[in-house]
Amino acid sequence: MIKYCYTALLITVLLVFNSCKEKVENLKESNYIVTGDVIDYDGDVAQVNIMGFFVDPLFKGSVDENGTLEIELPNEFNETSQKAFDDYNSLGDAAYELSAIGIEDVFSPLENLTISNPNAQIALAGKYYGFETYQDGIRTGRIFPGSSREFITYNINPEKHEPIEGHFYMWLYSDSDTSIKGSNGSPTEVDESGNVIKKSIRNYDVTLSKGWNVVRYAVMELGTDSEGDLQVMKSAFNTEGNYEKEIDWYYFPL
């Protein structure tokens, strides 16, 4: 009787252990899923490319004819990105040398900021902060998450469009925990003696965990210079809030 109870107990412990182990492994292997509805989508069913820069596309999502969007962002995306960079760099006609992205590549300027782990490596999903769509291997457009089509248009090409208030989002994979806190400023107008008349302030309240993170960039205040041109006077990067429920998606066909 005692032997039977011991055997039953051992089997129970092993079952619980294997179940916990399986849950941990599934959690480790699970990917980050992004879903949404693309406003006024007028295309057909398309694949979504999660890679950027000049590397080959990696299709990990789709948008249907109703604008329903689903993107699967794989874990260890920094390794996926680095492999794509290495493949590109090995080409004989490579126009650039692609390497891992550091904090300064996304959040610059970094002056006067407190960074808990400045050596953290970051991988950015998509091209800039949008995702390309493809049909039958042909690029058809891009989908951007943001507050308005006008704000997206300005950020795509700020040299040709006046700034407006708004925000956009981007998905960053970090290989370690880090935070970027503080604020810095840059001159928007100086006088003939070099004295700063107006300064643009950017605030940082970013906490990145190892894995996927949603980062929000916002322009909150505009001003004009002595010639009446609009300038961004206050902006911010942060990771506070539940963004999944407020993200709007906009489609820009080619």
PDB file of all heavy atoms in Angstrom, residues 29-53:
ATOM      1  N   GLU A  29       8.865  30.246 -26.511  1.00  0.00           N
ATOM      2  CA  GLU A  29       8.820  30.156 -27.965  1.00  0.00           C
ATOM      3  C   GLU A  29       7.690  30.978 -28.575  1.00  0.00           C
ATOM      4  O   GLU A  29       7.630  31.144 -29.779  1.00  0.00           O
ATOM      5  CB  GLU A  29       8.654  28.684 -28.374  1.00  0.00           C
ATOM      6  CG  GLU A  29       9.842  27.810 -27.984  1.00  0.00           C
ATOM      7  CD  GLU A  29       9.582  26.340 -28.225  1.00  0.00           C
ATOM      8  OE1 GLU A  29       8.458  26.016 -28.675  1.00  0.00           O
ATOM      9  OE2 GLU A  29      10.477  25.524 -27.980  1.00  0.00           O
ATOM     10  N   SER A  30       6.769  31.495 -27.740  1.00  0.00           N
ATOM     11  CA  SER A  30       5.628  32.222 -28.277  1.00  0.00           C
ATOM     12  C   SER A  30       6.071  33.553 -28.853  1.00  0.00           C
ATOM     13  O   SER A  30       7.004  34.180 -28.359  1.00  0.00           O
ATOM     14  CB  SER A  30       4.575  32.438 -27.182  1.00  0.00           C
ATOM     15  OG  SER A  30       5.109  33.237 -26.142  1.00  0.00           O
ATOM     16  N   ASN A  31       5.404  33.971 -29.912  1.00  0.00           N
ATOM     17  CA  ASN A  31       5.725  35.219 -30.583  1.00  0.00           C
ATOM     18  C   ASN A  31       4.758  36.318 -30.154  1.00  0.00           C
ATOM     19  O   ASN A  31       3.709  36.054 -29.572  1.00  0.00           O
ATOM     20  CB  ASN A  31       5.683  35.024 -32.096  1.00  0.00           C
ATOM     21  CG  ASN A  31       6.747  34.050 -32.565  1.00  0.00           C
ATOM     22  OD1 ASN A  31       7.826  33.966 -31.990  1.00  0.00           O
ATOM     23  ND2 ASN A  31       6.446  33.299 -33.613  1.00  0.00           N
ATOM     24  N   TYR A  32       5.111  37.554 -30.501  1.00  0.00           N
ATOM     25  CA  TYR A  32       4.293  38.716 -30.160  1.00  0.00           C
ATOM     26  C   TYR A  32       3.335  38.972 -31.325  1.00  0.00           C
ATOM     27  O   TYR A  32       3.772  39.160 -32.462  1.00  0.00           O
ATOM     28  CB  TYR A  32       5.204  39.911 -29.925  1.00  0.00           C
ATOM     29  CG  TYR A  32       4.516  41.131 -29.359  1.00  0.00           C
ATOM     30  CD1 TYR A  32       4.589  41.421 -28.011  1.00  0.00           C
ATOM     31  CD2 TYR A  32       3.806  42.007 -30.179  1.00  0.00           C
ATOM     32  CE1 TYR A  32       3.973  42.543 -27.482  1.00  0.00           C
ATOM     33  CE2 TYR A  32       3.190  43.125 -29.663  1.00  0.00           C
ATOM     34  CZ  TYR A  32       3.271  43.384 -28.319  1.00  0.00           C
ATOM     35  OH  TYR A  32       2.655  44.495 -27.807  1.00  0.00           O
ATOM     36  N   ILE A  33       2.047  38.986 -31.040  1.00  0.00           N
ATOM     37  CA  ILE A  33       1.033  39.150 -32.075  1.00  0.00           C
ATOM     38  C   ILE A  33       0.462  40.565 -32.030  1.00  0.00           C
ATOM     39  O   ILE A  33       0.024  41.037 -30.978  1.00  0.00           O
ATOM     40  CB  ILE A  33      -0.108  38.124 -31.918  1.00  0.00           C
ATOM     41  CG1 ILE A  33       0.452  36.701 -31.897  1.00  0.00           C
ATOM     42  CG2 ILE A  33      -1.121  38.289 -33.039  1.00  0.00           C
ATOM     43  CD1 ILE A  33       1.158  36.289 -33.170  1.00  0.00           C
ATOM     44  N   VAL A  34       0.480  41.233 -33.168  1.00  0.00           N
ATOM     45  CA  VAL A  34      -0.094  42.570 -33.309  1.00  0.00           C
ATOM     46  C   VAL A  34      -1.333  42.458 -34.187  1.00  0.00           C
ATOM     47  O   VAL A  34      -1.285  41.880 -35.283  1.00  0.00           O
ATOM     48  CB  VAL A  34       0.907  43.541 -33.966  1.00  0.00           C
ATOM     49  CG1 VAL A  34       0.287  44.923 -34.141  1.00  0.00           C
ATOM     50  CG2 VAL A  34       2.180  43.627 -33.143  1.00  0.00           C
ATOM     51  N   THR A  35      -2.448  42.983 -33.731  1.00  0.00           N
ATOM     52  CA  THR A  35      -3.684  42.948 -34.509  1.00  0.00           C
ATOM     53  C   THR A  35      -4.277  44.350 -34.605  1.00  0.00           C
ATOM     54  O   THR A  35      -3.988  45.228 -33.775  1.00  0.00           O
ATOM     55  CB  THR A  35      -4.727  42.009 -33.887  1.00  0.00           C
ATOM     56  OG1 THR A  35      -5.036  42.457 -32.556  1.00  0.00           O
ATOM     57  CG2 THR A  35      -4.202  40.581 -33.824  1.00  0.00           C
ATOM     58  N   GLY A  36      -5.101  44.573 -35.598  1.00  0.00           N
ATOM     59  CA  GLY A  36      -5.749  45.867 -35.761  1.00  0.00           C
ATOM     60  C   GLY A  36      -6.586  45.915 -37.015  1.00  0.00           C
ATOM     61  O   GLY A  36      -6.663  44.943 -37.780  1.00  0.00           O
ATOM     62  N   ASP A  37      -7.236  47.036 -37.233  1.00  0.00           N
ATOM     63  CA  ASP A  37      -8.042  47.286 -38.426  1.00  0.00           C
ATOM     64  C   ASP A  37      -7.475  48.502 -39.144  1.00  0.00           C
ATOM     65  O   ASP A  37      -7.345  49.575 -38.555  1.00  0.00           O
ATOM     66  CB  ASP A  37      -9.509  47.533 -38.050  1.00  0.00           C
ATOM     67  CG  ASP A  37     -10.156  46.301 -37.436  1.00  0.00           C
ATOM     68  OD1 ASP A  37     -10.036  45.218 -38.036  1.00  0.00           O
ATOM     69  OD2 ASP A  37     -10.775  46.422 -36.362  1.00  0.00           O
ATOM     70  N   VAL A  38      -7.155  48.320 -40.419  1.00  0.00           N
ATOM     71  CA  VAL A  38      -6.577  49.392 -41.219  1.00  0.00           C
ATOM     72  C   VAL A  38      -7.695  50.288 -41.737  1.00  0.00           C
ATOM     73  O   VAL A  38      -8.625  49.817 -42.399  1.00  0.00           O
ATOM     74  CB  VAL A  38      -5.749  48.820 -42.391  1.00  0.00           C
ATOM     75  CG1 VAL A  38      -5.094  49.957 -43.167  1.00  0.00           C
ATOM     76  CG2 VAL A  38      -4.703  47.846 -41.870  1.00  0.00           C
ATOM     77  N   ILE A  39      -7.613  51.569 -41.438  1.00  0.00           N
ATOM     78  CA  ILE A  39      -8.651  52.530 -41.819  1.00  0.00           C
ATOM     79  C   ILE A  39      -8.663  52.723 -43.336  1.00  0.00           C
ATOM     80  O   ILE A  39      -7.629  52.978 -43.952  1.00  0.00           O
ATOM     81  CB  ILE A  39      -8.423  53.873 -41.111  1.00  0.00           C
ATOM     82  CG1 ILE A  39      -8.540  53.688 -39.588  1.00  0.00           C
ATOM     83  CG2 ILE A  39      -9.401  54.939 -41.601  1.00  0.00           C
ATOM     84  CD1 ILE A  39      -8.152  54.909 -38.781  1.00  0.00           C
ATOM     85  N   ASP A  40      -9.839  52.587 -43.941  1.00  0.00           N
ATOM     86  CA  ASP A  40     -10.040  52.839 -45.381  1.00  0.00           C
ATOM     87  C   ASP A  40      -9.072  52.023 -46.242  1.00  0.00           C
ATOM     88  O   ASP A  40      -8.559  52.511 -47.258  1.00  0.00           O
ATOM     89  CB  ASP A  40      -9.871  54.336 -45.699  1.00  0.00           C
ATOM     90  CG  ASP A  40     -10.932  55.180 -45.021  1.00  0.00           C
ATOM     91  OD1 ASP A  40     -12.033  54.664 -44.803  1.00  0.00           O
ATOM     92  OD2 ASP A  40     -10.660  56.353 -44.703  1.00  0.00           O
ATOM     93  N   TYR A  41      -8.827  50.772 -45.859  1.00  0.00           N
ATOM     94  CA  TYR A  41      -7.959  49.930 -46.669  1.00  0.00           C
ATOM     95  C   TYR A  41      -8.666  49.596 -47.981  1.00  0.00           C
ATOM     96  O   TYR A  41      -9.799  49.124 -47.989  1.00  0.00           O
ATOM     97  CB  TYR A  41      -7.617  48.644 -45.920  1.00  0.00           C
ATOM     98  CG  TYR A  41      -6.700  47.722 -46.687  1.00  0.00           C
ATOM     99  CD1 TYR A  41      -5.359  48.052 -46.865  1.00  0.00           C
ATOM    100  CD2 TYR A  41      -7.166  46.538 -47.251  1.00  0.00           C
ATOM    101  CE1 TYR A  41      -4.506  47.223 -47.577  1.00  0.00           C
ATOM    102  CE2 TYR A  41      -6.322  45.706 -47.954  1.00  0.00           C
ATOM    103  CZ  TYR A  41      -4.996  46.046 -48.119  1.00  0.00           C
ATOM    104  OH  TYR A  41      -4.156  45.222 -48.832  1.00  0.00           O
ATOM    105  N   ASP A  42      -7.994  49.858 -49.114  1.00  0.00           N
ATOM    106  CA  ASP A  42      -8.621  49.641 -50.414  1.00  0.00           C
ATOM    107  C   ASP A  42      -7.835  48.641 -51.262  1.00  0.00           C
ATOM    108  O   ASP A  42      -7.936  48.643 -52.493  1.00  0.00           O
ATOM    109  CB  ASP A  42      -8.762  50.962 -51.178  1.00  0.00           C
ATOM    110  CG  ASP A  42      -7.413  51.656 -51.396  1.00  0.00           C
ATOM    111  OD1 ASP A  42      -6.388  51.135 -50.910  1.00  0.00           O
ATOM    112  OD2 ASP A  42      -7.402  52.713 -52.054  1.00  0.00           O
ATOM    113  N   GLY A  43      -7.063  47.786 -50.625  1.00  0.00           N
ATOM    114  CA  GLY A  43      -6.288  46.795 -51.358  1.00  0.00           C
ATOM    115  C   GLY A  43      -6.880  45.403 -51.233  1.00  0.00           C
ATOM    116  O   GLY A  43      -7.897  45.185 -50.575  1.00  0.00           O
ATOM    117  N   ASP A  44      -6.233  44.454 -51.884  1.00  0.00           N
ATOM    118  CA  ASP A  44      -6.619  43.057 -51.783  1.00  0.00           C
ATOM    119  C   ASP A  44      -5.846  42.409 -50.638  1.00  0.00           C
ATOM    120  O   ASP A  44      -5.060  43.062 -49.943  1.00  0.00           O
ATOM    121  CB  ASP A  44      -6.319  42.338 -53.105  1.00  0.00           C
ATOM    122  CG  ASP A  44      -7.146  42.909 -54.258  1.00  0.00           C
ATOM    123  OD1 ASP A  44      -8.326  43.241 -54.021  1.00  0.00           O
ATOM    124  OD2 ASP A  44      -6.612  43.017 -55.379  1.00  0.00           O
ATOM    125  N   VAL A  45      -6.066  41.112 -50.456  1.00  0.00           N
ATOM    126  CA  VAL A  45      -5.326  40.377 -49.432  1.00  0.00           C
ATOM    127  C   VAL A  45      -3.825  40.499 -49.723  1.00  0.00           C
ATOM    128  O   VAL A  45      -3.378  40.304 -50.854  1.00  0.00           O
ATOM    129  CB  VAL A  45      -5.744  38.900 -49.415  1.00  0.00           C
ATOM    130  CG1 VAL A  45      -4.901  38.115 -48.423  1.00  0.00           C
ATOM    131  CG2 VAL A  45      -7.219  38.776 -49.070  1.00  0.00           C
ATOM    132  N   ALA A  46      -3.053  40.855 -48.709  1.00  0.00           N
ATOM    133  CA  ALA A  46      -1.621  41.088 -48.905  1.00  0.00           C
ATOM    134  C   ALA A  46      -0.825  40.513 -47.749  1.00  0.00           C
ATOM    135  O   ALA A  46      -1.323  40.376 -46.629  1.00  0.00           O
ATOM    136  CB  ALA A  46      -1.332  42.577 -49.048  1.00  0.00           C
ATOM    137  N   GLN A  47       0.419  40.179 -48.035  1.00  0.00           N
ATOM    138  CA  GLN A  47       1.359  39.771 -47.001  1.00  0.00           C
ATOM    139  C   GLN A  47       2.006  41.006 -46.384  1.00  0.00           C
ATOM    140  O   GLN A  47       2.107  42.053 -47.026  1.00  0.00           O
ATOM    141  CB  GLN A  47       2.446  38.866 -47.592  1.00  0.00           C
ATOM    142  CG  GLN A  47       1.951  37.526 -48.093  1.00  0.00           C
ATOM    143  CD  GLN A  47       3.081  36.739 -48.740  1.00  0.00           C
ATOM    144  OE1 GLN A  47       3.599  37.129 -49.782  1.00  0.00           O
ATOM    145  NE2 GLN A  47       3.467  35.636 -48.125  1.00  0.00           N
ATOM    146  N   VAL A  48       2.449  40.872 -45.148  1.00  0.00           N
ATOM    147  CA  VAL A  48       3.068  41.979 -44.437  1.00  0.00           C
ATOM    148  C   VAL A  48       4.535  41.637 -44.154  1.00  0.00           C
ATOM    149  O   VAL A  48       4.850  40.584 -43.593  1.00  0.00           O
ATOM    150  CB  VAL A  48       2.341  42.276 -43.111  1.00  0.00           C
ATOM    151  CG1 VAL A  48       3.065  43.368 -42.330  1.00  0.00           C
ATOM    152  CG2 VAL A  48       0.900  42.697 -43.382  1.00  0.00           C
ATOM    153  N   ASN A  49       5.425  42.538 -44.561  1.00  0.00           N
ATOM    154  CA  ASN A  49       6.854  42.380 -44.347  1.00  0.00           C
ATOM    155  C   ASN A  49       7.251  43.021 -43.028  1.00  0.00           C
ATOM    156  O   ASN A  49       6.961  44.189 -42.796  1.00  0.00           O
ATOM    157  CB  ASN A  49       7.626  43.031 -45.503  1.00  0.00           C
ATOM    158  CG  ASN A  49       9.122  43.064 -45.260  1.00  0.00           C
ATOM    159  OD1 ASN A  49       9.669  42.183 -44.621  1.00  0.00           O
ATOM    160  ND2 ASN A  49       9.773  44.079 -45.806  1.00  0.00           N
ATOM    161  N   ILE A  50       7.931  42.264 -42.160  1.00  0.00           N
ATOM    162  CA  ILE A  50       8.318  42.807 -40.857  1.00  0.00           C
ATOM    163  C   ILE A  50       9.765  43.296 -40.855  1.00  0.00           C
ATOM    164  O   ILE A  50      10.239  43.806 -39.827  1.00  0.00           O
ATOM    165  CB  ILE A  50       8.127  41.771 -39.733  1.00  0.00           C
ATOM    166  CG1 ILE A  50       9.054  40.570 -39.925  1.00  0.00           C
ATOM    167  CG2 ILE A  50       6.673  41.348 -39.643  1.00  0.00           C
ATOM    168  CD1 ILE A  50       9.078  39.642 -38.723  1.00  0.00           C
ATOM    169  N   MET A  51      10.477  43.180 -41.972  1.00  0.00           N
ATOM    170  CA  MET A  51      11.864  43.633 -42.050  1.00  0.00           C
ATOM    171  C   MET A  51      11.931  45.024 -42.663  1.00  0.00           C
ATOM    172  O   MET A  51      11.003  45.465 -43.341  1.00  0.00           O
ATOM    173  CB  MET A  51      12.709  42.667 -42.871  1.00  0.00           C
ATOM    174  CG  MET A  51      12.747  41.249 -42.317  1.00  0.00           C
ATOM    175  SD  MET A  51      13.425  41.147 -40.640  1.00  0.00           S
ATOM    176  CE  MET A  51      15.137  41.571 -40.954  1.00  0.00           C
ATOM    177  N   GLY A  52      13.071  45.688 -42.439  1.00  0.00           N
ATOM    178  CA  GLY A  52      13.266  47.015 -43.010  1.00  0.00           C
ATOM    179  C   GLY A  52      14.601  47.117 -43.696  1.00  0.00           C
ATOM    180  O   GLY A  52      15.200  46.112 -44.088  1.00  0.00           O
ATOM    181  N   PHE A  53      15.087  48.332 -43.856  1.00  0.00           N
ATOM    182  CA  PHE A  53      16.374  48.615 -44.483  1.00  0.00           C
ATOM    183  C   PHE A  53      16.403  48.044 -45.902  1.00  0.00           C
ATOM    184  O   PHE A  53      15.435  48.144 -46.628  1.00  0.00           O
ATOM    185  CB  PHE A  53      17.521  48.073 -43.608  1.00  0.00           C
ATOM    186  CG  PHE A  53      17.555  48.664 -42.235  1.00  0.00           C
ATOM    187  CD1 PHE A  53      17.067  47.964 -41.154  1.00  0.00           C
ATOM    188  CD2 PHE A  53      18.045  49.939 -42.033  1.00  0.00           C
ATOM    189  CE1 PHE A  53      17.071  48.526 -39.882  1.00  0.00           C
ATOM    190  CE2 PHE A  53      18.065  50.504 -40.765  1.00  0.00           C
ATOM    191  CZ  PHE A  53      17.572  49.789 -39.695  1.00  0.00           C
TER     192      PHE A  53
END
